Amino acid sequence: MEYIIIANPHSGAGMGMKQFNLLIQYFNDHSLSYSSHLTHYAGEVYQIIKKILPALNANHRIIIIGGDGTLNEAIATFIKFQKSIPISYLPAGTGNDFSREMNFTHDIPTFIERLNNEMISTLELISYNEKLSHTCGIALNSLGFGIDAAICQLNTLKSKKQKSKLGLNKLSYLTPIINAFKNHKEFQASIQINNEPVQVSDKNLLVGLFNHSYFGGGIRFVPTAKQNSHNFEVVVARDVTTPTILKAFPFILWNKQHFERFPKHLIKQTATTASIKIEQPILMQTDGEFYSFEEVELDAKLITYPIYLT
């Protein structure tokens, strides 16, 4: 057996490099065969996989080290090449929402033991196609327009050293949430869920698709959303004033009753497919990475991909 490591050394304020070094030390100490690839820029995971793909066989075990965005890029690349090669994931991000939902380990010996047991799960992902820009991709955790994308943008700009020093947890998200809300612009969206009639929602703060409950360092924003439940949750936050969001904060962070407490402002529906149309410039986030669009016509559905349960 040969292990192939693809690692983002910059993820998690250097946690990616730390996990990579620990894994290499373990392999050397146990005389295990491996090859390694460190990324140096965004998009390099695609180039690495493209290079190694022709030589991959059943004797290889692929290990991705990084945050949710790194894992997203790896799986999306295999899908683009129409391959369903099982991969494993050693979490080394800042929020680590995906590994928290899946209960993946950060411990190297435990990780290797689980990987060698060859327990493979069929992972459900949100696949999207933005038709105007011809942009396709996936979301492991969530896909969203509005304030969640603005929060991701602010977190990206936030000092990595500060994240490392303070730790990225629920309270560390308060500042970017407040700043994003102060600068937010409401938008209108046309939403179609499961081929039902189109719903038009205005004064929106957020329109998002959630594959599980977590968003941002362990915040369970959509408590009813579960990984591999054969559906996802479409969430709309609309007509949210400053007093409303201040009242909602404690419920979002701790009590998990915000949808029940604020039904006029927080709306969710269960879906297997969804279409979203937005006729103005907007930010979108997928798994913490943000993108800018002039307009949006997006279709989304569930697909599956194999992953080792590490």
Side-chain angles (χ1 to χ4, degrees), residues 64-120:
I64 306 298
I65 301 177
D68 293 344
T70 305
L71 180 61
N72 179 308
E73 188 178 352
I75 294 177
T77 299
F78 282 115
I79 291 173
K80 285 179 182 178
F81 286 111
Q82 298 182 330
K83 301 294 183 181
S84 294
I85 299 173
I87 64 173
S88 60
Y89 178 48
L90 186 57
T94 47
N96 290 319
D97 286 328
F98 178 73
S99 66
R100 182 178 287 106
E101 173 72 9
M102 297 295 292
N103 196 29
F104 284 168
T105 186
H106 294 68
D107 178 68
I108 302 297
T110 304
F111 170 82
I112 296 299
E113 180 183 357
R114 292 178 179 178
L115 179 56
N116 289 340
N117 284 335
E118 300 186 0
M119 293 180 59
I120 300 176

Side-chain angles (χ1 to χ4, degrees), residues 127-138:
S127 172
Y128 69 87
N129 174 27
E130 201 295 300
K131 293 181 283 190
L132 299 179
S133 63
H134 307 288
T135 301
C136 298
I138 62 167

Side-chain angles (χ1 to χ4, degrees), residues 83-206:
K83 301 294 183 181
S84 294
I85 299 173
I87 64 173
S88 60
Y89 178 48
L90 186 57
T94 47
N96 290 319
D97 286 328
F98 178 73
S99 66
R100 182 178 287 106
E101 173 72 9
M102 297 295 292
N103 196 29
F104 284 168
T105 186
H106 294 68
D107 178 68
I108 302 297
T110 304
F111 170 82
I112 296 299
E113 180 183 357
R114 292 178 179 178
L115 179 56
N116 289 340
N117 284 335
E118 300 186 0
M119 293 180 59
I120 300 176
S121 175
T122 300
L123 182 69
E124 293 180 347
L125 315 168
I126 298 173
S127 172
Y128 69 87
N129 174 27
E130 201 295 300
K131 293 181 283 190
L132 299 179
S133 63
H134 307 288
T135 301
C136 298
I138 62 167
L140 301 166
N141 306 323
S142 64
L143 176 158
F145 298 95
I147 193 169
D148 63 336
I151 293 167
C152 291
Q153 184 183 44
L154 289 171
N155 273 324
T156 299
L157 298 174
K158 191 177 179 181
S159 167
K160 298 291 186 180
K161 290 183 179 179
Q162 184 179 2
K163 285 181 183 179
S164 178
K165 181 179 179 181
L166 298 179
L168 191 58
N169 52 36
K170 296 178 182 180
L171 293 178
S172 71
Y173 266 82
L174 285 177
T175 298
I177 289 172
I178 292 170
N179 289 338
F181 181 76
K182 285 180 181 178
N183 299 306
H184 85 280
K185 294 181 180 179
E186 294 178 339
F187 62 96
Q188 179 175 294
S190 300
I191 307 166
Q192 186 176 33
I193 298 172
N194 297 339
N195 298 315
E196 295 175 359
V198 174
Q199 308 169 40
V200 178
S201 178
D202 63 358
K203 298 183 180 179
N204 296 314
L205 179 68
L206 160 73

Side-chain angles (χ1 to χ4, degrees), residues 11-76:
S11 63
M15 181 56 69
M17 193 67 202
K18 180 179 178 181
Q19 288 289 74
F20 173 78
N21 288 334
L22 288 172
L23 184 60
I24 294 298
Q25 181 180 343
Y26 183 94
F27 284 161
N28 290 334
D29 290 344
H30 292 80
S31 300
L32 298 175
S33 177
Y34 68 90
S35 61
S36 62
H37 308 267
L38 290 174
T39 64
H40 301 90
Y41 55 86
E44 193 174 4
V45 170
Y46 175 90
Q47 298 299 333
I48 292 170
I49 291 175
K50 181 180 180 181
K51 181 179 179 180
I52 68 173
L53 194 55
L56 290 180
N57 58 55
N59 193 47
H60 291 115
R61 294 292 180 270
I62 299 171
I63 300 171
I64 306 298
I65 301 177
D68 293 344
T70 305
L71 180 61
N72 179 308
E73 188 178 352
I75 294 177

Side-chain angles (χ1 to χ4, degrees), residues 246-307:
L246 290 175
K247 291 177 183 177
F249 262 136
F251 295 99
I252 293 172
L253 295 178
W254 291 290
N255 293 340
K256 321 303 177 203
Q257 298 175 350
H258 39 288
F259 285 95
E260 293 79 8
R261 294 279 184 163
F262 304 91
K264 294 182 180 180
H265 305 287
L266 290 172
I267 305 153
K268 61 183 174 70
Q269 291 179 257
T270 301
T272 55
T273 64
S275 297
I276 300 170
K277 185 175 181 179
I278 301 171
E279 297 180 332
Q280 68 182 69
I282 193 88
L283 284 177
M284 178 185 85
Q285 71 82 21
T286 57
D287 296 339
E289 305 294 326
F290 66 92
Y291 311 88
S292 179
F293 295 97
E294 290 301 313
E295 292 183 77
V296 169
E297 287 188 20
L298 181 140
D299 294 330
K301 63 181 181 180
L302 282 177
I303 63 170
T304 60
Y305 195 86
I307 191 168

